[in-house]
Amino acid sequence: MTATAPPEQRAYRVTRAGRVLAFLRNTWRGLTSMRTALILLFLLALAAMPGALLPQRQLNPPKTAEYIEQHGWWGTLLDRLQFFDVYSSVWFSAIYLLLMVSLVGCLLPRSVEYVRSMRAKPVLTPRNLARMPHFSRAEVAGDVDEVMSATRSRLRGWRLAERGEDGGARTVSAERGYLRETGNLLFHFGMLGLVVAFALGKMYFYEGQVIVHADGSQFCNSGTFAYDSFNPGLRVDGTELTPFCVRVDDFAAQYTAVGQPVSYEADLGYQIGDDLTTGTWRPYHLEVNEPLRLGGDRVYLLGHGFAPTFTVTFPDGTSRTQTIQWRPVDQTTLLSEGATKFDPPGVTDPEKRRQNQIAITGLFAPTAAFQGKILSSADPRLRDPAAAVDVLRGDLGLSSSQSIFEIDQSMVDSGRLERVARENLRVGERITLDDGTRIEFEGVRRWVSLQVSHDPTQMWVLGFAVAMFVGLAGSLLVKRRRLWVRATPAGDTDGERRTVVEVGGLARTDQAGYGEEFTRIAGDLLAQRRAR
Amino acid sequence: MPVNETLSQYSDWSYTTAVAVYVLAMVFFLVEQSFGRKGRAAAERTRERARELVGAGGVPVEAGQVPATPADRPARSRPERIGRMGVALTVLGALLHLSALVLRGLATSRVPWGNMYEYIMAVCFIAVVTWLVVVRKFPVRRLSALVLLPVVILMFVGGTMLYAVAAPVQPALQSYWLVIHVSAAAASSGVFLVPGVASVLYLIRARHDRDPAAFARFGPRLPGADVLDRIAYRTTVFAFPVFTFGVLCGAIWAEAAWGRFWGWDPKETTAFVAWVVYAAYLHSRATAGWRGQRAAVINVVGFAVTVFNLFFVNLVTTGLHSYAGVG
């Protein structure tokens, strides 16, 4: 950089541009030094840690909200500092971006050096081989040329350079283990690629969850409205989802005698591409660990639960039946809670309709176990279903702003929604309200919760990860080592030419393990000749 | 899948016996460590130095390698004989340990690392086997008690507080990836125990070398700092790619089981942190001013993160990896 500057400018004339250049140069050097890389690695490890210790919004929003609420100003402060979104936080991103810059700055000169070293001949033989960490010497029969050709054939697979010296001596410089640096570079470039592919994946991925009743109900990936929850990448607006449909025909869960789950299976039909127009359904047996892969999308079986069926018969004789999914509150016994909501029939005026809505809320147990009148569940299997319900009548509030599993508690608090009955029901049992409305617990169906995932770069990430692993194995297992042989003519004995052979060795990386190989090679080179 | 109660019972007995045998072996090693001739440690160091000097002079013997015992060697001292008995006991313990694992696997008809108790059993087995290999290659037999100590503690905690009856695993774990991913994780964690202990000893030894008043009694009985450093490096270099492979397989499995290959689940995050720390260890060994002391500290931190990952993440946090089978 400064080498091209004319000599008179080398005098300490500090110009502004020079200062800026020097600052940039020093920053770059500092950033790409190994010491900085190490410190950044530590910071990265340290910065990733809160993600394991604190609830993360991306993984569990309700738990995060609860944590912030419980911890007062401390929770708010942590939230401001992005401790609940660690992996998208400014500081985490800054660390890994700096690390990437540092890595690139380290890799560029190393790649140049690597190309140069791949072309270079092995280095000159040192004058005094006895100073090498590994050394062996013997006088053997045969002339220098014979020794040289034997050496060449023994050192097959090594990169060799043969040179002559004064006094008729000849030397071979051999080097091996270039794959170490190849592996090292492959590992680091693989990591770079992985990070880029990962980041791109975060831009273009989407993930959505939906509950589908296992009674032949369908789900189509036609837009975000079809999902119960949808989590898109930054560049996904939900308009260009892969079109496909899934129909859930059946679901079965198997348990051990003590109620430990053994398997969850759902029978699906699916349509993709031309099937959508021809109406063809293809079968698929969906299991945990066996997602349905459709083009770029995958469909997973995430969970399951029960949907009780209630029929409300209004005083005018009209009846409405609904089967709404209730959510499990206990994953081992599948005790579930939920709210099934009804509008009165034949009322067109929205004001009036909202005065006589009905909600059935409470608990559902697949295998009922009563403690007094309190319902709990004894088993996740559907053996003796029962529901403990509250029936509420009145104004349910705006349907758009509430969860399908809950009623709007503020409506109850303000007195606009009133509890009119509380009862435990088994299948077939009914409640009759004061105005003659009858509510019957008709039965129960199963539902499955499906997740649809789309990540266009995940195969790239896998490819880079495999490259990293291969490179890592190469860079840690292959040893870069050098070997030199010098053959010096030692005159004639009994009319036979004799040669002094010296062998020296140096491992350029970790010395461990080279000793055995060197002993073997040196032994071969010396003994073989001696035997003649 | 029915569980074979009899085999499971035999497995439990095997496990308990293995722990007892390890404790006994520890006593033997402690005897060797404490009553070995006073000059022994010094002699060992001198021999080492002599070998290095000779090595530099031209005999192709690798420093740190145990030379074959010459036939005319004088009879072994009593503490040394006791130390060798300790190794024999450790081998016996490892065989019992292995049979506990195998029987557990046969009892449940699956690989025996489906919950935390079984996982710790597998990790400790790998640690013991790794140490036996190290003892063959380096003259560090006297330190065996210090490696067996964490193993015995882990196995005691595993067998008493984390014990889980033999049972089939839940649907999410029924995959061939359980064999590949978990065995890679257990193997690397087990091997990482050895460099963790070696690095702690390195720090003690280095402290003693700088200031002979520190660890005045314990320090001189440890092998040279360079030997400890080399043990730590070589075992880490072996375990790191295995660990990387384990994380890689975990990501592939997560893609099939949970819908994404990486989701910053607490276990994933902590594995990532441990991976970064061990990567920093490998880099530090190539950085001037960071070799030795600092590298050893990093390695100890790496092992601490591994232990944290095993206990804290399994037992305290809730994530997708909550398969401990405890409580």
Side-chain angles (χ1 to χ4, degrees):
Chain A
M1 283 163 262
T2 46
T4 51
E8 62 267 27
Q9 278 199 358
R10 272 225 199 127
Y12 296 100
R13 261 188 61 198
V14 185
T15 62
R16 172 171 279 188
R19 264 201 309 246
V20 170
L21 263 179
F23 174 75
L24 288 176
R25 192 175 58 229
N26 289 340
T27 311
W28 179 251
R29 279 188 190 155
L31 191 59
T32 56
S33 77
M34 189 67 123
R35 224 171 67 90
T36 314
L38 264 176
I39 290 166
L40 285 171
L41 271 176
F42 271 116
L43 284 176
L44 187 71
L46 197 66
M49 224 41 222
L53 303 175
L54 295 170
Q56 293 296 297
R57 193 163 278 132
Q58 192 204 342
L59 297 178
N60 199 339
K63 205 175 159 195
T64 310
E66 190 189 326
Y67 186 94
I68 297 175
E69 202 158 300
Q70 278 175 0
H71 289 78
W73 66 271
W74 173 237
T76 320
L77 179 70
L78 286 179
D79 192 22
R80 284 256 181 83
L81 296 175
Q82 301 177 306
F83 272 90
F84 301 107
D85 305 279
V86 168
Y87 307 107
S88 51
S89 69
V90 177
W91 37 275
F92 191 77
S93 316
I95 293 170
Y96 79 72
L97 282 177
L98 280 175
L99 200 58
M100 285 301 118
V101 173
S102 166
L103 179 60
V104 170
C106 177
L107 282 184
L108 288 179
R110 267 179 78 174
S111 305
V112 173
E113 177 59 31
Y114 172 72
V115 171
R116 199 173 291 156
S117 81
M118 287 308 273
R119 287 187 184 159
K121 278 185 176 179
V123 295
L124 280 175
T125 306
R127 195 178 301 269
N128 188 355
L129 278 181
R131 289 204 170 170
M132 289 294 122
H134 305 282
F135 176 70
S136 206
R137 180 182 189 277
E139 193 177 302
V140 302
D143 63 11
V144 170
D145 286 342
E146 283 176 88
V147 171
M148 282 291 113
S149 74
T151 303
R152 272 195 304 273
S153 65
R154 177 62 184 83
L155 293 179
R156 197 163 293 148
W158 291 65
R159 181 174 297 184
L160 301 176
E162 210 177 310
R163 298 183 178 91
E165 285 183 350
D166 298 341
R170 292 190 70 77
T171 67
V172 170
S173 310
E175 187 154 354
R176 199 171 194 181
Y178 290 87
L179 272 179
R180 186 186 182 91
E181 185 64 6
T182 314
N184 205 318
L185 287 174
L186 183 65
F187 171 79
H188 286 103
F189 277 114
M191 188 155 73
L192 216 54
L194 183 138
V195 171
V196 171
F198 189 87
L200 282 177
K202 286 282 159 254
M203 309 277 273
Y204 293 99
F205 91 107
Y206 62 79
E207 200 175 83
Q209 287 86 26
V210 60
I211 285 177
V212 184
H213 291 195
D215 56 358
S217 298
Q218 294 177 18
F219 156 78
C220 285
N221 189 32
S222 42
T224 55
F225 60 84
Y227 288 97
D228 297 336
S229 63
F230 189 75
N231 179 21
L234 294 169
R235 304 297 299 270
V236 175
D237 57 5
T239 53
E240 287 177 351
L241 309 186
T242 321
F244 66 83
C245 287
V246 168
R247 189 186 67 205
V248 184
D249 296 325
D250 198 11
F251 172 82
Q254 285 183 1
Y255 298 89
T256 62
V258 293
Q260 198 196 341
V262 173
S263 72
Y264 303 125
E265 295 157 75
D267 282 316
L268 301 187
Y270 68 91
Q271 294 182 314
I272 187 163
D274 291 341
D275 304 343
L276 291 163
T277 46
T278 60
T280 321
W281 288 95
R282 298 168 192 275
Y284 188 80
H285 190 70
L286 187 66
E287 284 181 81
V288 181
N289 278 320
E290 303 283 343
L292 166 63
R293 294 175 189 273
L294 293 169
D297 288 34
R298 291 110 56 199
V299 181
Y300 295 87
L301 180 60
L302 277 199
H304 66 109
F306 297 100
T309 306
F310 291 101
T311 298
V312 177
T313 310
F314 292 90
D316 62 357
T318 53
S319 68
R320 291 281 180 276
T321 301
Q322 283 200 79
T323 307
I324 298 291
Q325 60 265 31
W326 285 21
R327 68 178 169 209
V329 285
D330 182 332
Q331 286 298 336
T332 49
T333 64
L334 286 183
L335 183 71
S336 310
E337 63 170 18
T340 307
K341 301 164 192 173
F342 292 87
D343 279 339
V347 183
T348 44
D349 179 20
E351 274 301 305
K352 275 196 170 170
R353 190 196 302 152
R354 277 183 55 179
Q355 283 164 18
N356 271 307
Q357 291 173 312
I358 286 181
I360 303 164
T361 72
L363 293 171
F364 168 83
T367 300
F370 288 103
Q371 289 159 328
K373 296 208 83 178
I374 312 290
L375 175 69
S376 65
S377 174
D379 199 285
R381 277 161 283 203
L382 197 58
R383 287 180 163 166
D384 178 21
V389 298
D390 280 354
V391 181
L392 299 110
R393 190 170 56 203
D395 184 355
L396 289 173
L398 289 172
S399 62
S400 57
S401 63
Q402 54 184 284
S403 156
I404 63 161
F405 299 114
E406 289 165 2
I407 49 164
D408 187 345
Q409 191 59 35
S410 66
M411 288 296 161
V412 181
D413 296 341
S414 65
R416 281 185 280 176
L417 188 60
E418 207 183 346
R419 193 175 84 200
V420 289
R422 166 171 281 185
E423 204 98 25
N424 290 329
L425 296 176
R426 291 187 190 264
V427 175
E429 290 181 340
R430 64 182 65 183
I431 309 171
T432 307
L433 302 183
D434 51 5
D435 64 353
T437 305
R438 283 202 319 271
I439 291 161
E440 185 174 353
F441 179 27
E442 299 247 6
V444 57
R445 296 226 177 108
R446 285 176 175 278
W447 55 259
V448 294
S449 113
L450 300 179
Q451 173 168 310
V452 176
S453 304
H454 173 83
D455 183 347
T457 62
Q458 69 170 13
M459 284 320 279
W460 286 96
V461 172
L462 179 63
F464 284 121
V466 169
M468 272 174 76
F469 177 68
V470 171
L472 179 69
S475 75
L476 291 180
L477 301 180
V478 174
K479 291 191 176 66
R480 188 81 180 265
R481 59 247 193 234
R482 287 176 173 165
L483 189 98
W484 294 277
V485 180
R486 172 176 284 123
T488 319
D492 294 0
T493 322
D494 309 331
E496 199 186 29
R497 291 261 176 92
R498 297 194 67 81
T499 307
V500 172
V501 182
E502 291 170 296
V503 190
L506 172 72
R508 292 192 59 197
T509 43
D510 179 31
Q511 291 283 338
Y514 184 39
E516 293 120 58
E517 188 191 8
F518 178 84
T519 313
R520 216 166 43 241
I521 295 176
D524 285 353
L525 287 177
L526 302 176
Q528 174 194 354
R529 306 294 309 163
R530 224 182 266 132
R532 285 181 51 159
Chain B
M1 261 182 294
V3 171
N4 188 325
E5 302 284 344
T6 321
L7 289 181
S8 156
Q9 183 64 59
Y10 284 144
S11 165
D12 292 353
W13 286 337
S14 238
Y15 182 90
T16 316
T17 321
V19 178
V21 172
Y22 286 150
V23 172
L24 193 62
M26 255 172 76
V27 173
F28 277 53
F29 289 126
L30 285 175
V31 168
E32 190 194 12
Q33 170 89 328
S34 317
F35 300 105
R37 263 184 288 128
K38 276 227 173 98
R40 202 183 128 78
E44 190 116 35
R45 275 205 307 284
T46 332
R47 213 160 59 225
E48 188 106 50
R49 196 167 305 133
R51 213 182 301 138
E52 272 165 17
L53 289 173
V54 173
V59 175
V61 172
E62 193 192 344
Q65 224 184 357
V66 202
T69 315
D72 59 349
R73 203 170 172 185
R76 294 187 187 100
S77 69
R78 180 168 293 167
E80 197 183 343
R81 284 212 307 277
I82 288 178
R84 296 177 76 89
M85 281 150 77
V87 172
L89 276 175
T90 312
V91 172
L92 176 67
L95 288 175
L96 284 163
H97 199 157
L98 179 66
S99 71
L101 268 173
V102 171
L103 288 169
R104 184 82 171 188
L106 291 175
T108 50
S109 331
R110 58 170 168 80
V111 285
W113 40 79
N115 55 47
M116 209 168 154
Y117 162 71
E118 295 167 359
Y119 182 81
I120 288 180
M121 176 163 34
V123 167
C124 290
F125 175 70
I126 298 291
V128 171
V129 170
T130 310
W131 180 250
L132 286 172
V133 172
V134 168
V135 165
R136 275 187 69 86
K137 293 206 166 181
F138 296 90
V140 289
R141 188 182 62 227
R142 288 165 300 125
L143 304 180
S144 302
L146 299 166
V147 175
L148 284 179
L149 181 68
V151 167
V152 165
I153 292 174
L154 278 173
M155 287 183 76
F156 180 77
V157 169
T160 52
M161 292 170 220
L162 307 171
Y163 182 78
V165 286
V169 287
Q170 51 175 285
L173 289 180
Q174 292 166 19
S175 163
Y176 53 90
W177 288 111
L178 178 66
V179 184
I180 307 170
H181 165 64
V182 185
S183 58
S188 54
S189 305
V191 179
F192 276 142
L193 186 140
V194 171
V197 172
S199 297
V200 170
L201 298 181
Y202 174 93
L203 290 174
I204 294 173
R205 177 76 212 200
R207 174 97 176 81
H208 173 74
D209 286 347
R210 276 199 313 279
D211 170 17
F215 303 106
R217 295 177 68 96
F218 185 51
R221 294 187 178 275
L222 293 174
D226 59 328
V227 174
L228 291 167
D229 180 57
R230 214 167 325 128
I231 291 173
Y233 178 68
R234 294 193 69 179
T235 40
T236 307
V237 158
F238 176 79
F240 187 67
V242 179
F243 184 50
T244 310
F245 179 74
V247 173
L248 186 64
C249 291
I252 298 175
W253 188 9
E255 193 270 340
W258 300 329
R260 81 291 181 290
F261 62 88
W262 192 268
W264 300 108
D265 177 64
K267 190 71 142 190
E268 292 170 350
T269 304
T270 318
F272 169 76
V273 171
W275 192 85
V276 169
V277 171
Y278 280 112
Y281 169 77
L282 294 179
H283 282 95
S284 75
R285 296 223 1 146
T287 309
W290 285 72
R291 291 188 195 97
Q293 187 85 1
R294 287 188 185 176
V297 172
I298 299 171
N299 203 308
V300 174
V301 170
F303 187 64
V305 175
T306 307
V307 172
F308 176 85
N309 202 2
L310 178 57
F311 284 94
F312 189 83
V313 173
N314 279 20
L315 299 177
V316 182
T317 63
T318 45
L320 292 164
H321 277 88
S322 300
Y323 300 126
V326 179

